[in-house]
Amino acid sequence: MEFSLLFIAATLLFGSVAAQNDALIGFNGEEREALYALKETFNDSFLNRNWSGTHCYNNQPPLWYGLQCVDGRVVALSLDSLGLVGNMNVNALNKFNELAALSLKNNSLSGNLFDFSSNRKLKNVDLSFNAFNGTISLSLVSLNSLQSLQLQNNRLTGSIPELNQSSLGVFNVSNNNLNGSIARTKTLQSFGPDSYSDNPGLCGPPTDVICRSIIKGSNDTAAPPDTKNAPDDSSSTKFHPTMVLILVIVLFFIVNLLLLLLYLKKHRELKEVMKQLNTVEMREKKNENTTEISFQNQTPAADEGGKLIFMEEGENFQLGDLLKASAEGLGKGVFGNSYKAMLEARPPIVVKRLRDLKPLSVDEFMKQVQLIAKQRHPNLLPLVAYFYTKEEKLLLYKYAERGNLFDRIHGGRGVGRVPFRWSSRLIVAQGVARALEFLHLNTRPNNIVPHGNLKSSNVLLGENDEVLVSDYGFTSLVALPVAAQHMTSYRSPEYQQMKRVSRKSDVWSFGCLLIELLTGKISSHSAPEGSQGINLCAWVNRAVREEWTAEIFDSEIASQRSAIPGMLNLLQIAIRCSNTSPDKRPDMTEVVREVESIRLIENGEEYSSSFDRSLTDDSMSTVGSGIAIDER
């Protein structure tokens, strides 16, 4: 007896120490190991890059894609439409005791369903559109808080467990290989036949299939159709003239042949376009340093396919002129590859070849492009023309001579670099703010994110250093899985936690851009492929909170002592814009007013490049006291 009491006391003490240890380090170690095991199973390039380091830290926004955490514990795991593959371990979720939401839909995962015995707080489970097999886990019966269970479009077999949770409001097991009679629980009987459809062996209400046991007293399986009493139509069929059937078949083949010939004629030009652009891509892959690329010197007839639709009067070159032009690869973006086309006796044109778009009709695509074209502002890169066919979509823009903001901030550091001074950076901040305000005031409906992908590589500099924001208005064109993986607004705290984006997501992106402009550091939220970045918002908040602010500003502007007040004001605006709570962020009209109120001192006193720590610490007290740092 005494030994048993000692053992129980030791067990309780060990559990208490373990819980305290989790609280001290800010996350649960067993959960992290379980996530690493999932990562190894998926072996996905995107998750291999993103899932590293600390997955959760107290109530700060998680750095790992698809996670939501509270008090350092994982409460939601959402990895939809990532093309994940792998044979899942049935015990993969055993360590996630606080898990409330699980969504792995629209992937290619296989294996038996998970054992949910340790996930008593689960409310929402969505494993639809995968390749899970085996039976539905009986552990689901014990989830008293279950609200939604979606297992449709898998390869599940066996019968449906007797689920009877009153909380269950969404349920779907259609398109599987389930069999047997559906249990007569109040919950299962409350759903319609569509929740059970396309399961050949499933029977009983609420479906219309009668179970065999009701008819013959045998095991519960779906009864076969009654063919014994079916009317015999063979006698009537033999009287139908066979010539009618032959005539219909012949006409069918003639019509299809004509359609095929018409299709080949209409799309000959498109095939030439695709062949030429594919040649460009292949040459770029073989030698990234070779930028001069030539399209084939052919000019298709205008009536053989799509044609260029211009947004401005006075533009008169044809698709053939574009195909004959020499071209230079500008790189790969979220929405497709871009090329600089050098036309004869004309300024260069940028050709953006779109990919991964939503399945839009011609009218839907043209309507969205027309909305983009109507956005005219001195700080927006104007759309010149577009080309549309079913297989190929091209957008044409004016070429920005001085490249993009990312290269201006981060490129060519070292000897011979032209410094990017404070005055130039402030002008960029003001120009981007005006462009974003214009988009926010002129984009309808209100639930559309006006830009959606604001980052330094999408801010261009014209021949006279004019600021031009590009890649706006694509939120309504690009497919959601691509947007969720690549567009900057989908990296915002509200999407990571609640799967929602709004106009305030653009404001958050603008705040991150300002911090990148001030610090000269690469942001992990918008780093181009091949570049490594850090979470600048969290880094700056930590710098202000811990008062080591001497390291915040880029060395190229830190030496401009007279500009320090302006830099501090812009940093305050950036921190407010990047607040983790969308409701606490200002709207863009207020942001423009504040950014334009910052005084620009052209020839201020230069300060020592050592940048005395006491100067910035004293000055930054306004930042620390004037802004409530959100530490969630």
Side-chain angles (χ1 to χ4, degrees), residues 513-561:
L513 177 66
L514 291 183
I515 295 175
E516 184 178 355
L517 197 62
L518 288 167
T519 64
K521 297 183 182 295
I522 299 177
S523 170
S524 60
H525 301 304
S526 58
E529 186 176 351
S531 301
Q532 297 295 326
I534 62 173
N535 187 337
L536 284 181
C537 299
W539 181 80
V540 166
N541 281 336
R542 182 183 172 194
V544 174
R545 184 172 60 248
E546 298 181 4
E547 299 183 353
W548 41 275
T549 53
E551 301 177 24
I552 286 184
F553 295 114
D554 190 349
S555 58
E556 283 190 341
I557 59 174
S559 60
Q560 297 179 260
R561 182 170 185 173

Side-chain angles (χ1 to χ4, degrees), residues 22 25 63 69 170 178 221 251 321 360 417 468 544 546 622:
D22 284 349
I25 64 176
L63 300 180
C69 299
V170 178
L178 299 173
T221 56
L251 288 174
D321 300 324
L360 300 174
R417 170 178 164 86
L468 299 169
V544 174
E546 298 181 4
T622 58

Side-chain angles (χ1 to χ4, degrees), residues 252-403:
F252 175 79
F253 279 105
I254 292 175
V255 170
N256 277 275
L257 181 60
L258 291 174
L259 290 174
L260 179 61
L261 293 174
L262 181 63
Y263 175 86
L264 293 174
K265 178 181 178 182
K266 286 292 183 181
H267 288 271
R268 194 176 305 161
E269 178 186 353
L270 173 61
K271 291 178 181 178
E272 288 298 326
V273 173
M274 293 180 67
K275 180 179 178 181
Q276 292 153 8
L277 291 177
N278 285 332
T279 303
V280 168
E281 293 179 359
M282 290 177 65
R283 291 180 183 175
E284 285 181 316
K285 290 179 181 178
K286 289 181 180 178
N287 188 356
E288 294 181 356
N289 297 322
T290 302
T291 56
E292 281 297 324
I293 308 162
S294 295
F295 290 106
Q296 293 180 5
N297 189 13
Q298 295 182 11
T299 307
D303 62 348
E304 290 184 351
K307 63 179 181 178
L308 290 175
I309 307 298
F310 289 95
M311 301 293 103
E312 297 178 343
E313 295 183 0
E315 300 288 355
N316 55 8
F317 64 89
Q318 301 297 321
L319 183 62
D321 300 324
L322 197 63
L323 296 178
K324 289 187 293 183
S326 61
E328 177 182 336
L330 297 178
K332 299 178 181 179
V334 174
F335 310 113
N337 295 353
S338 294
Y339 309 90
K340 175 186 174 183
M342 278 71 80
L343 300 170
E344 294 184 5
R346 299 189 59 87
I349 289 291
V350 174
V351 180
K352 185 183 288 291
R353 186 183 187 189
L354 300 181
R355 66 184 181 197
D356 296 330
L357 301 183
K358 293 178 181 177
L360 300 174
S361 66
V362 178
D363 292 339
E364 290 171 334
F365 180 84
M366 293 178 63
K367 179 180 179 181
Q368 297 300 330
V369 172
Q370 292 288 347
L371 291 175
I372 294 174
K374 288 179 181 178
Q375 305 288 24
R376 295 284 172 171
H377 186 272
N379 295 117
L380 290 177
L381 183 69
L383 179 65
V384 175
Y386 71 89
F387 173 86
Y388 178 91
T389 63
K390 183 178 180 181
E391 289 81 7
E392 197 70 45
K393 292 92 180 168
L394 305 176
L395 296 183
L396 276 62
Y397 292 93
K398 292 182 177 179
Y399 177 68
E401 296 288 342
R402 296 188 179 270

Side-chain angles (χ1 to χ4, degrees), residues 17-39:
V17 170
Q20 291 177 6
N21 186 50
D22 284 349
L24 287 174
I25 64 176
F27 63 88
N28 182 274
E30 290 186 336
E31 286 186 347
R32 184 172 66 173
E33 293 304 317
L35 288 169
Y36 275 128
L38 283 173
K39 173 183 170 182

Side-chain angles (χ1 to χ4, degrees), residues 470-512:
S470 67
D471 276 20
Y472 53 89
F474 285 1
T475 311
S476 56
L477 289 175
V478 71
L480 180 58
V482 177
Q485 290 187 57
H486 299 293
M487 293 183 71
T488 310
S489 291
Y490 289 83
R491 309 287 177 87
S492 62
E494 56 266 30
Y495 187 80
Q496 297 300 315
Q497 296 175 14
M498 298 173 288
K499 300 302 177 189
R500 290 204 303 264
V501 291
S502 67
R503 292 167 183 262
K504 289 298 181 74
S505 305
D506 267 349
V507 178
W508 177 84
S509 300
F510 180 71
C512 294

Side-chain angles (χ1 to χ4, degrees), residues 118-291:
S118 301
N119 315 118
R120 296 305 178 93
K121 297 184 179 181
L122 259 182
K123 295 181 179 179
N124 300 295
V125 178
D126 191 345
L127 304 177
S128 59
F129 294 92
N130 278 286
F132 285 105
N133 49 41
T135 60
I136 299 177
S137 176
L138 292 175
S139 59
L140 289 166
V141 177
S142 62
L143 302 182
N144 296 326
S145 301
L146 191 62
Q147 298 176 0
S148 173
L149 178 61
Q150 300 190 65
L151 303 176
Q152 67 268 28
N153 293 85
N154 278 284
R155 301 170 184 174
L156 299 174
T157 57
S159 59
I160 302 174
E162 296 186 5
L163 302 171
N164 200 26
Q165 293 94 322
S166 59
S167 58
L168 189 59
V170 178
F171 178 77
N172 196 333
V173 292
S174 61
N175 289 291
N176 280 287
N177 296 313
L178 299 173
N179 55 48
S181 61
I182 301 171
R184 299 298 182 95
T185 65
K186 183 178 180 181
T187 297
L188 292 180
Q189 294 297 318
S190 67
F191 300 105
D194 290 343
S195 295
Y196 304 95
S197 62
D198 295 310
N199 283 286
L202 208 57
C203 63
T207 70
D208 297 328
V209 181
I210 301 174
C211 291
R212 190 192 303 270
S213 61
I214 299 176
I215 303 174
K216 299 182 179 180
S218 60
N219 294 331
D220 286 346
T221 56
D226 186 5
T227 58
K228 183 179 295 185
N229 297 321
D232 185 4
D233 293 332
S234 59
S235 57
S236 59
T237 303
K238 63 183 180 181
F239 294 109
H240 291 176
T242 56
M243 290 303 297
V244 174
L245 180 59
I246 295 173
L247 181 60
V248 169
I249 293 174
V250 171
L251 288 174
F252 175 79
F253 279 105
I254 292 175
V255 170
N256 277 275
L257 181 60
L258 291 174
L259 290 174
L260 179 61
L261 293 174
L262 181 63
Y263 175 86
L264 293 174
K265 178 181 178 182
K266 286 292 183 181
H267 288 271
R268 194 176 305 161
E269 178 186 353
L270 173 61
K271 291 178 181 178
E272 288 298 326
V273 173
M274 293 180 67
K275 180 179 178 181
Q276 292 153 8
L277 291 177
N278 285 332
T279 303
V280 168
E281 293 179 359
M282 290 177 65
R283 291 180 183 175
E284 285 181 316
K285 290 179 181 178
K286 289 181 180 178
N287 188 356
E288 294 181 356
N289 297 322
T290 302
T291 56

